[in-house]
Amino acid sequence: MINGRTKTCGLIGNPVEHTMSPTIHNRLSEMLHTNLVYVPFHVEKNLLQEAVEGAFALNLWGLNVTVPYKSEVLTYLKEVDPLAARIGAVNTLVKTEGGYKGYNTDMPGLFRALESDGIQIPGEHIIVLGAGGAARAVTVLLAEKGAEEIILCNRTIEKAGKIADEVNGYMGRNVVRVLPLSGYEELKGRKYLAIQATSVGLHPNDQDAIILDKDFYNLLHTGYDLIFNPSSTRFMKLTEEAGGRAINGLKMLLYQGIISYELWNGIQVSQESAMEIYKLLKEEMG
Ligand code: ATR
């Protein structure tokens, strides 16, 4: 029931038409009896500043930010949370006096998702596939959460090198090393967690995987794909065929939303409520 006290939150991005975030936030509000509504806002390429300033002027309580604005939006914020600043990407804005404060809930969301599936980071040897914005964020998170070793594998080795130099620099230890996509032969001798952080295999390119060679998948105890559409990617299928455990990115989507909701409302969402929302997201995915 919308009334004069309803708080409005939303998503800015381009495109936003396929988002599942309204399900997360509107259903949470229903379940928790919060007077809050969440709507998508399609923002044209040259209108981001106007959108953020206009949202503030309209007293929008909070915003999520998606592709392609997660980095560009940093310019228009009053304050940025330190983790989001290190990652270089913001996906959540919280209204404060005089402007919005930016947070990154994607990475804490991934961490909660990993935890909820019993996947440990401290002391772990982890392969990250890719060196774009998502892979960069994952690498920052894993380094900060105490991974023993992060092997950053990418087609363009220079891009991986840049991330490794930066993260090793501020961590004060050589936790990240780089490898070309074809270089996994040298990783034999132990089993790894691999996080697939490229767009390869995303619907409708369901048959693609960043690495197709079975030998690579024999190295993995777990293959974690940030993609959730399709719900089982080729990367995940190859992981399972080699005897590993495969998980998609739907829980990361869930928890980034839950953490945004917690920031906007100053509450802790219970695990029980989170799982109810997860069920709805799975239904929505078909
Ligand atoms: P995002 O910022 O969303 O993570 P991105 O910056 O477009 O996405 O990064 C995409 C990543 O997927 C890059 O690491 C890219 O490899 P390059 O750095 O060599 O470009 C990787 N990628 C995309 N398509 C690929 C393909 N067909 N084979 C191998 N890697 C690919």
Side-chain angles (χ1 to χ4, degrees):
M1 176 71 163
I2 292 175
N3 59 28
R5 291 194 170 77
T6 303
K7 288 175 186 163
T8 305
C9 289
L11 169 70
I12 55 175
N14 186 348
V16 293
E17 285 69 21
H18 299 291
T19 178
M20 293 203 286
S21 290
T23 302
I24 300 176
H25 298 287
N26 291 319
R27 289 308 192 99
L28 269 176
S29 292
E30 263 172 51
M31 279 164 49
L32 304 174
H33 307 290
T34 312
N35 192 355
L36 184 152
V37 66
Y38 183 100
V39 282
F41 298 108
H42 181 111
V43 174
E44 290 303 335
K45 292 260 146 65
N46 53 347
L47 291 176
L48 180 61
Q49 182 172 5
E50 286 83 348
V52 174
E53 289 174 1
F56 186 77
L58 289 170
N59 195 30
L60 296 200
W61 193 250
L63 288 169
N64 281 138
V65 183
T66 188
V67 176
Y69 300 131
K70 289 187 186 190
S71 297
E72 190 189 339
V73 77
L74 283 159
T75 324
Y76 308 120
L77 303 179
K78 173 141 185 284
E79 200 185 338
V80 180
D81 174 71
L83 175 67
R86 278 198 296 284
I87 291 170
V90 151
N91 76 316
T92 302
L93 310 189
V94 176
K95 192 162 189 274
T96 64
E97 217 176 289
Y100 286 104
K101 178 170 178 181
Y103 293 85
N104 185 300
T105 73
D106 285 328
M107 286 310 109
L110 171 63
F111 187 65
R112 256 199 229 183
L114 291 168
E115 267 188 325
S116 86
D117 277 316
I119 298 168
Q120 303 291 329
I121 301 303
E124 181 63 271
H125 297 255
I126 306 167
I127 300 169
V128 175
L129 295 165
R136 188 178 182 289
V138 168
T139 304
V140 169
L141 175 87
L142 298 176
E144 296 200 358
K145 293 292 183 186
E148 176 66 24
E149 178 188 37
I150 302 163
I151 300 134
L152 199 50
C153 284
N154 197 45
R155 178 176 61 184
T156 313
I157 200 80
E158 295 76 20
K159 265 165 81 178
K162 249 183 97 181
I163 297 172
D165 289 347
E166 195 187 324
V167 176
N168 288 338
Y170 76 71
M171 290 300 293
R173 69 183 176 108
N174 283 340
V175 57
V176 187
R177 68 182 173 102
V178 303
L179 210 61
L181 283 179
S182 56
Y184 50 82
E185 189 65 28
E186 70 174 72
L187 300 179
K188 278 189 177 148
R190 70 162 73 242
K191 292 267 185 175
Y192 298 82
L193 161 66
I195 301 186
Q196 202 298 109
T198 76
S199 52
V200 183
L202 188 64
H203 181 74
N205 304 112
D206 299 27
Q207 284 314 307
D208 294 350
I210 183 148
I211 297 174
L212 291 165
D213 187 353
K214 287 190 168 55
D215 285 349
F216 171 74
Y217 295 91
N218 286 328
L219 293 167
L220 313 185
H221 61 74
T222 307
Y224 202 102
D225 203 325
L226 299 192
I227 293 173
F228 55 81
N229 183 18
S231 58
S232 179
T233 62
R234 183 85 188 274
F235 169 83
M236 290 168 62
K237 291 193 172 102
L238 287 162
T239 301
E240 280 169 342
E241 279 162 25
R245 180 181 181 202
I247 304 172
N248 72 23
L250 193 63
K251 267 197 190 160
M252 174 181 165
L253 174 81
L254 166 77
Y255 283 113
Q256 64 72 34
I258 298 272
I259 297 168
S260 296
Y261 196 87
E262 291 177 342
L263 285 169
W264 293 329
N265 295 293
I267 56 162
Q268 276 289 114
V269 174
S270 70
Q271 190 55 15
E272 200 184 2
S273 303
M275 284 304 106
E276 262 187 64
I277 302 292
Y278 185 55
K279 217 174 110 199
L280 293 171
L281 293 179
K282 281 207 285 199
E283 279 167 22
E284 204 169 316
M285 286 299 302

